[in-house]
Amino acid sequence: MSHARRSQPQASADTASSLAILEGRLGYQLEPALLVRALTHRSYAYENGGLPTNERLEFLGDSVLGLVVTDTLYRANPDLPEGQLAKLRAAVVQARTLAEVARGLGLGAFVRLGRGEEGTGGRNKASILADTLEAVIGAVYLDQGLDAADELVHRLFDPVIERSSNLGAGLDWKTSLQELSAAESLGVPEYVITEDGPDHEKTFTAAARVGGETYGTGTGRSKKEAEQQAAENAWRSIRAAIDGATGGETGA
């Protein structure tokens, strides 16, 4: 799927090597200046004389991602009404999910950040990772076309799309856990939050408790991110217990 690299002047050896690593993970070789722009956060651009930022590419990539995900959900779920399809799409393209995919690519290591964002843990911020991933998708679309962008989105997001189909509400794990615990008469989920680290780089840990029992924990850079991860782990734990009990009854 990869195209031969076009000639491009004046990229440093370190920059070219770094871009090559990312391109290997993406599966595409892109016009270097375009890829560099996709990785340029506004904080870096402002600190370096007003360089072009990745925000226009982010805008484009958001639409490309939305199109591919919407098309996939539409074709895979012929009986779902529009409202449920919209919820499933929201579960796939929300910033937290995009950030998880970006972390899987190690994208944070390649983002060009200003000193302020660098000093406050910007490389692991969900919003920055999500925006950068959208910008990279936009760059692939511009440089390689829609077929390539479609292939990349499917490769990165098909596991997320499959996972989202397990969500009871099709929107977020906290809602799904609440629905599941209510259906099983387990009680209302509660979240116990602890935090660690300095103010500018806190890590939050959440424990999802249902009926006084902890079913899952999660960590994140925000309380919301930690709670969502804890809810997902709790949902999976309870679901596995239910499925195991059902399987046992069936096999009896």
Side-chain angles (χ1 to χ4, degrees), residues 1-2 14 53 57 63 65 83 91 93 109 112 116 120 129 149 166 180-181 199 208 226-227 233 238 245-246 248:
M1 299 294 295
S2 298
D14 288 344
T53 75
L57 285 171
S63 294
L65 174 63
V93 302
R112 301 209 298 175
T120 57
L129 289 172
N166 293 324
L180 180 61
S181 60
D199 287 343
E227 287 176 349
N233 290 332
I238 294 171
T246 304

Side-chain angles (χ1 to χ4, degrees), residues 121-139:
R123 292 190 184 279
N124 199 38
K125 284 184 181 177
S127 60
I128 291 176
L129 289 172
D131 291 348
T132 304
L133 180 60
E134 288 179 334
V136 168
I137 291 170

Side-chain angles (χ1 to χ4, degrees), residues 21-41:
I21 292 171
L22 178 56
E23 286 173 331
R25 296 175 188 177
L26 295 173
Y28 295 99
Q29 290 181 309
L30 305 179
E31 196 268 319
L34 184 64
L35 181 54
V36 167
R37 185 185 305 175
L39 299 171
T40 303
H41 187 258

Side-chain angles (χ1 to χ4, degrees), residues 10-203:
Q10 287 99 33
S12 72
D14 288 344
T15 299
S17 176
S18 178
L19 294 182
I21 292 171
L22 178 56
E23 286 173 331
R25 296 175 188 177
L26 295 173
Y28 295 99
Q29 290 181 309
L30 305 179
E31 196 268 319
L34 184 64
L35 181 54
V36 167
R37 185 185 305 175
L39 299 171
T40 303
H41 187 258
R42 63 178 177 269
S43 61
Y44 183 93
Y46 294 160
E47 288 185 13
N48 289 273
L51 298 173
T53 75
N54 63 4
E55 290 174 356
R56 281 172 52 85
L57 285 171
E58 173 202 337
F59 171 79
L60 179 62
D62 174 72
S63 294
V64 173
L65 174 63
L67 171 62
V68 175
V69 170
T70 301
D71 178 73
T72 302
L73 292 172
Y74 182 89
R75 295 176 187 277
N77 301 279
D79 298 323
L80 279 187
E82 178 271 341
Q84 188 71 2
L85 286 172
K87 289 180 178 180
L88 283 171
R89 180 177 60 193
V92 175
V93 302
Q94 63 176 312
R96 186 180 72 90
T97 305
L98 267 64
E100 289 176 1
V101 173
R103 290 185 183 111
L105 282 171
L107 193 57
F110 302 95
V111 182
R112 301 209 298 175
L113 289 175
R115 291 184 297 275
E117 282 290 355
E118 186 81 65
T120 57
R123 292 190 184 279
N124 199 38
K125 284 184 181 177
S127 60
I128 291 176
L129 289 172
D131 291 348
T132 304
L133 180 60
E134 288 179 334
V136 168
I137 291 170
V140 171
Y141 167 76
L142 279 183
D143 193 68
Q144 302 281 322
L146 182 57
D147 286 347
D150 180 271
E151 188 277 332
L152 176 64
V153 170
H154 276 290
R155 179 153 40 87
L156 296 178
F157 284 89
D158 275 356
V160 179
I161 292 171
E162 182 178 356
R163 187 178 70 184
S164 74
S165 66
N166 293 324
L167 290 171
L171 183 56
D172 63 62
W173 288 107
K174 289 181 68 175
T175 304
S176 297
L177 178 60
Q178 185 173 341
E179 289 186 347
L180 180 61
S181 60
E184 298 297 320
S185 302
L186 298 175
V188 178
E190 299 176 325
Y191 297 89
V192 179
I193 306 292
T194 57
E195 56 186 65
D196 187 41
D199 287 343
H200 70 276
E201 198 173 356
K202 283 190 179 298
T203 298

